[in-house]
Amino acid sequence: MRKIHRLVGVSWLALAAAAAAATPGVAFADSGDSGASAATTSGASTSATTASGSSVSGGAPAFPGAAALSDLGGAPPFGTAVRLGDAGTLLAPGLSGESAPGAGIGGSGSAVPTPFIQIQPSIGATEQFVTGGYGGYGGSGNGSGHEFVTSINPSLLINGATRATTFTLAYNPSIQFYSNQSQDNGINQSLDGVIDATLIPQMLTVEARAYATEQATSGGLPPGGSSVYNNNNRTLTQSYSITPSFNDTFETGTLNLLYSAQFTRQSGNTAYLTNQNNPYFETGDVFAQTEAGSFTTVPFFRRFDDTPSFSATEDVGSGVLNGAHQYFIKNTVRYAIVPHVVLSASGGYEDLAYSGIPPTLIRDATWSIGARIRFPDNGILVARYQHLYGFNAPYIRLTYQLTQRTTLSAGYSEALSTQQQGIGLGVASSGVNSVGLPIGGLSGQPVLLSNQSLSVQSSLTRNRQFSAALTTQYTYDTVSLSVQAYQDTLVARAPGLVGFSQKSATVSISESHQFSPYATGTVYFDYGRTDSPALNSSTTSTYGFSAAFTYRLSPTLYANAQYSLTNNAYGGYDIGGYGNTGYGSQGVQNIFTVGFRKTF
């Protein structure tokens, strides 16, 4: 399960990056944030890439729409997704490091993928024995007791390509049956999909994304690991987007035009803080439309170019997004000191409006100054200091190949947005690799798109995000270390709802080891600190540990076993507002899982 969200806004700062990809002169040294191919990935995943945001032999982004969206001023830093995941997938075909045939324009080194289609359905079944951390078991209501959870897990993975299109769809629902708490029976949704189509080569592309996941409404869980929580504390997050983009090069420069439509919905039971009459979360959605354009001139001199650009986003949704908008104009000048070092400076104007309480209106000049460095030994650094969303803040993205086996990725950003805005932009600007994991950032490594450490709310906040990950790949082992920190500062609450500030920080480590062609094991550990009023605690510690083992019984049949221990920040069955608050103790939960998976 993916457990990190992105709190981002919508702005224009990527347009120069997309334009530069096809511009002579400076462009040869600076091909955009998404231009670096992934050398390694984390966890028990794969090193395969997809068309989205990937590069053609390290050159221009294959799909400029995603490349442009990924570099927006409020875009998240894209930390590597260090987590254990489903033990049943550790040795499934395509999940142990091999790529699907022709998968990924960037991975193939050619702009024209080899046509193919690969359809892999499967069915799995698991039995979980859960103790503690889920009050109500055995009628105790205090976090003790036990539960048996039976899950049926169908799965469909589709990878394919034509001469002009690449696509990936991964749908992994889990149908769950509880022996004691039958009210919690239901279906956990998990969907990742991407279609990238080139309608006119080098000119007109269309990119579509689909994403769905379940998360704890109250937060209080580490971004990785596993836990069981009830339906009262469950939010279904869905996001869908389509982004056509047009690019053309003239004698005087390169024109980029982009339109992006994003629909994001968070649905679940209304959630309340203790002793509050108004909820902090209720089902809501937003439909956002962005129109953007830029023109990058042929360099004035050999090392200079100039990019005027604009972006206009209109939101139709609930709460603070009802009738909201974000308008930006700017001009960026860049200078290449040497082929791999490009300095940039920009100035512009922003007009932002949100209909929360209090209403938020920002009309202000904007500016930024920074540099982009592409390292000769496979790495890229994008760093700038900017005045955007009415405040000054740094913006950093880094991917660096420390050694042939070790990759470092890191990022920091600040933005003004809601959670729904952030997830919508995050999905639109990320991709999906050939095994169905979201990927993004400078290196195309797996990322987390929703965050279970923070509570789900509809307020407008100033979001500070830091993410760093170190991944080392050996012949039979993959070791990953990740640090992630988030801080939401309340700016405006949605009418009729409660809003609050919150923050969290988590460190995670995982190791995957392939014992033989038939057996794989993974261990995972995380520790975090969370501060959120929804958890009825000023600061709460969380930790988790998981160990999993998967064995291939036949070419299409897998057996798996897993043990997980999680210390939830919430300690009871009912989360504030559902009757019993259940905040009397920390929820230490043990989960023992055994299961099988059959592929077809």
Side-chain angles (χ1 to χ4, degrees):
M1 184 179 289
R2 297 137 308 196
K3 298 172 182 167
I4 233 176
H5 68 200
R6 292 185 176 167
L7 304 176
V8 296
V10 176
S11 81
W12 31 252
L13 291 180
L15 300 176
T23 304
V26 175
F28 77 91
D30 182 21
S31 57
D33 286 3
S34 301
S37 300
T40 58
T41 60
S42 66
S45 305
T46 176
S47 58
T49 58
T50 67
S52 172
S54 60
S55 66
V56 181
S57 301
F63 291 91
L69 289 170
S70 69
D71 193 32
L72 296 180
F78 281 118
T80 301
V82 179
R83 75 244 186 192
L84 176 60
D86 179 8
T89 67
L90 293 182
L91 268 181
L95 297 187
S96 56
E98 65 268 25
S99 304
I105 290 179
S108 66
S110 170
V112 180
T114 302
F116 79 99
I117 185 167
Q118 183 183 66
I119 302 175
Q120 183 183 290
S122 66
I123 185 74
T126 62
E127 184 68 25
Q128 291 181 314
F129 175 66
V130 185
T131 65
Y134 190 27
Y137 290 150
S140 63
N142 60 6
S144 61
H146 64 274
E147 177 66 290
F148 288 94
V149 183
T150 302
S151 299
I152 306 298
N153 307 305
S155 177
L156 178 63
L157 177 63
I158 301 176
N159 280 289
T162 67
R163 305 299 290 181
T165 305
T166 62
F167 52 90
T168 295
L169 173 69
Y171 183 49
N172 303 285
S174 177
I175 307 169
Q176 298 182 337
F177 303 93
Y178 291 73
S179 62
N180 296 322
Q181 308 292 338
S182 60
Q183 71 273 19
D184 290 329
N185 295 346
I187 302 176
N188 281 356
Q189 299 290 348
S190 177
L191 170 68
D192 288 291
V194 56
I195 300 176
D196 289 323
T198 301
L199 304 184
I200 302 177
Q202 305 301 319
M203 291 184 65
L204 182 61
T205 63
V206 177
E207 307 162 49
R209 305 285 185 267
Y211 171 76
T213 192
E214 307 273 356
Q215 61 189 103
T217 305
S218 65
L221 294 173
S226 58
S227 184
V228 176
Y229 42 84
N230 67 335
N231 282 336
N232 282 340
N233 189 36
R234 190 187 308 274
T235 294
L236 171 62
T237 297
Q238 305 174 73
S239 187
Y240 309 93
S241 68
I242 183 168
T243 305
S245 60
F246 175 83
N247 306 269
D248 199 6
T249 300
F250 306 90
E251 290 184 1
T252 55
T254 300
L255 173 68
N256 291 263
L257 298 176
L258 177 146
Y259 171 80
S260 182
Q262 307 157 19
F263 177 79
T264 303
R265 179 179 177 85
Q266 291 184 305
S267 56
N269 285 351
T270 301
Y272 297 80
L273 298 178
T274 306
N275 300 323
Q276 288 280 349
N277 294 324
N278 292 331
Y280 68 86
F281 168 76
E282 61 183 11
T283 295
D285 54 51
V286 59
F287 177 67
Q289 299 184 80
T290 298
E291 306 87 24
S294 69
F295 187 83
T296 298
T297 65
V298 170
F300 301 133
F301 303 100
R302 186 173 183 272
R303 298 177 183 270
F304 279 97
D305 69 9
D306 180 73
T307 303
S309 60
F310 75 91
S311 174
T313 299
E314 297 85 22
D315 303 308
V316 178
S318 53
V320 301
L321 297 177
N322 184 22
H325 69 255
Q326 303 88 44
Y327 302 144
F328 302 88
I329 59 173
K330 77 158 184 178
N331 189 76
T332 301
V333 177
R334 303 189 307 166
Y335 173 71
I337 300 176
V338 294
H340 297 285
V341 180
V342 179
L343 303 181
S344 65
S346 69
Y349 186 79
E350 62 185 354
D351 180 346
L352 315 178
Y354 294 90
S355 57
I357 300 176
T360 301
L361 180 62
I362 298 176
R363 291 173 177 168
D364 194 10
T366 64
W367 54 263
S368 73
I369 183 169
R372 181 175 313 217
I373 302 172
R374 187 174 295 279
F375 303 105
D377 50 350
N378 196 6
I380 182 172
L381 169 66
V382 178
R384 60 177 175 258
Y385 192 74
Q386 61 191 22
H387 182 81
L388 188 65
Y389 307 111
F391 52 78
N392 299 339
Y395 178 87
I396 300 171
R397 289 190 184 182
L398 168 68
T399 294
Y400 187 72
Q401 198 75 27
L402 296 176
T403 68
Q404 186 177 2
R405 299 179 180 274
T406 303
T407 302
L408 171 66
S409 60
Y412 179 86
S413 67
E414 298 187 26
L416 183 69
S417 76
T418 70
Q419 291 185 14
Q420 290 173 343
Q421 268 189 315
I423 291 174
L425 179 59
V427 171
S429 62
S430 63
V432 179
N433 67 12
S434 62
V435 298
L437 290 176
I439 59 173
L442 303 177
S443 63
Q445 293 189 347
V447 295
L448 299 170
L449 292 175
S450 54
N451 182 4
Q452 296 224 55
S453 64
L454 298 181
S455 308
V456 181
Q457 61 170 321
S458 304
S459 301
L460 178 67
T461 60
R462 176 178 175 176
N463 323 121
R464 297 175 174 89
Q465 303 183 54
F466 170 77
S467 175
L470 194 66
T471 302
T472 300
Q473 188 100 34
Y474 299 98
T475 304
Y476 299 106
D477 293 87
T478 300
V479 181
S480 297
L481 174 66
S482 175
V483 178
Q484 296 170 352
Y486 304 87
Q487 182 174 345
D488 291 353
T489 302
L490 180 66
V491 174
R493 63 179 177 85
L497 274 67
V498 174
F500 48 81
S501 300
Q502 55 182 338
K503 60 184 178 180
S504 71
T506 305
V507 58
S508 308
I509 186 170
S510 70
E511 179 180 2
S512 175
H513 178 73
Q514 185 169 345
F515 296 98
S516 72
Y518 307 100
T520 297
T522 300
V523 293
Y524 169 90
F525 174 79
D526 61 55
Y527 176 80
R529 302 276 285 176
T530 301
D531 184 346
S532 174
L535 303 172
N536 203 34
S537 174
S538 57
T539 302
T540 303
S541 296
T542 62
Y543 57 82
F545 170 79
S546 296
F549 180 79
T550 296
Y551 190 81
R552 182 182 297 180
L553 300 173
S554 74
T556 61
L557 182 62
Y558 306 84
N560 59 78
Q562 179 175 321
Y563 167 72
S564 300
L565 181 147
T566 301
N567 177 52
N568 300 329
Y570 56 84
Y573 178 87
D574 290 309
I575 306 303
Y578 300 120
N580 300 320
T581 60
Y583 290 127
S585 63
Q586 297 297 301
V588 178
Q589 184 178 86
N590 294 274
I591 307 175
F592 301 87
T593 303
V594 293
F596 294 88
R597 178 166 292 275
K598 170 70 175 178
T599 63
F600 302 95

